[in-house]
Amino acid sequence: MGDHTLVVLASGRGTNLQSLLDRTGDGTIPGKVVMVVSDVPGAQALKRAEERGVYTRVLDYSTFPRKSDYERALVETLEEVQPGLICLAGYMRIVGPTIVKRFSGRIMNIHPSLLPAFPGLEAQRQALEYGVKITGCTVHFVDTGMDTGPIIMQDSCPVEDGDTPDTLAERILKIEHRLYPEAVRLFFQNKLEVLGRRVHSREVGK
Ligand code: GRF
């Protein structure tokens, strides 16, 4: 469909999707969200997309007999649109190797920790249980591992003594909403250079 088109995959409430809708809507990101796909019917993310008139597609994971059937349907859906970039935003599944290979270098994810620390589920709880004093979030390209792809951007915040997973998540989320649109903007402006595991940003002054 075009280089500056974005498909967002989301399973839940979709606040990161919202930040991408807002920053594409106001022109900060030179691109357009053309489709939102969810594996969960009724996900709040779908409502956020509909409110903006963005096309949505539900691939209800529970209706597919095998994971491979779901993956095939997802590839077909993405092939229809041929997006320039796919953003995972609270998408609670591991993207299979077929999709990663097909859209290599064009899939991003945001994760609520400073990777490689605390990959996988409940990153904020993991950070609290480990006792770190600083955590944050990471935008990275997606490879076939879990939260292991080349890191595009990271930013940090303190862990406070009274934090619970929820209060920490809320602090991190504020950073996420700034960082993810920033990474997508750089991608669409062709300012990201991937050198093996290292991603350089060719923004003037950085
Ligand atoms: C965010 O914390 C994101 O980093 C993680 O899942 C959460 C999704 O939140 N991958 P939302 O659905 O974008 O509000």
Side-chain angles (χ1 to χ4, degrees):
M1 195 169 186
D3 280 357
H4 289 231
T5 54
L6 176 58
V7 168
V8 180
L9 270 55
S11 307
R13 99 203 125 162
T15 64
N16 277 289
L17 163 67
Q18 190 68 52
S19 74
L20 295 170
L21 289 168
D22 291 346
R23 298 287 83 81
T24 47
D26 70 10
T28 311
I29 298 173
K32 191 172 186 261
V33 181
V34 291
M35 180 166 76
V36 172
V37 183
S38 184
D39 56 324
V40 178
Q44 203 189 331
L46 293 165
K47 293 188 192 86
R48 292 177 190 270
E50 282 157 15
E51 269 166 26
R52 291 294 177 93
V54 173
Y55 179 68
T56 59
R57 185 73 74 87
V58 177
L59 296 176
D60 183 351
Y61 189 83
S62 64
T63 63
F64 291 88
R66 285 176 302 261
K67 183 175 164 58
S68 56
D69 298 314
Y70 168 79
E71 283 285 325
R72 196 169 314 116
L74 183 54
V75 178
E76 279 166 17
T77 302
L78 294 168
E79 294 277 8
E80 275 172 38
V81 178
Q82 300 274 340
L85 180 66
I86 298 164
C87 280
L88 313 185
Y91 178 65
M92 300 306 284
R93 308 202 167 274
I94 295 186
V95 177
T98 321
I99 295 177
V100 173
K101 218 182 274 168
R102 170 66 187 79
F103 296 96
S104 163
R106 287 191 287 141
I107 312 176
M108 281 186 193
N109 181 40
I110 187 153
H111 183 78
S113 75
L114 294 174
L115 291 171
F118 315 129
L121 294 175
E122 299 198 74
Q124 302 92 339
R125 182 183 297 281
Q126 292 186 55
L128 283 176
E129 283 174 1
Y130 197 92
V132 293
K133 302 294 185 195
I134 293 172
T135 185
C137 64
T138 304
V139 181
H140 64 93
F141 283 114
V142 171
D143 64 11
T144 49
M146 197 203 315
D147 302 323
T148 52
I151 290 171
I152 303 166
M153 293 179 99
Q154 292 185 303
D155 205 352
S156 62
C157 66
V159 178
E160 309 283 359
D161 287 350
D163 268 337
T164 63
D166 285 348
T167 60
L168 185 55
E170 208 178 304
R171 194 172 309 122
I172 297 171
L173 208 54
K174 289 205 181 89
I175 313 175
E176 295 186 36
H177 296 160
R178 176 171 46 78
L179 216 62
Y180 211 0
E182 186 67 1
V184 173
R185 176 181 71 79
L186 290 168
F187 180 88
F188 280 144
Q189 290 178 339
N190 222 5
K191 287 180 175 165
L192 296 178
E193 192 180 7
V194 186
L195 302 157
R197 279 210 56 86
R198 300 187 66 185
V199 182
H200 294 180
S201 154
R202 288 189 275 108
E203 185 102 294
V204 179
K206 285 202 176 170

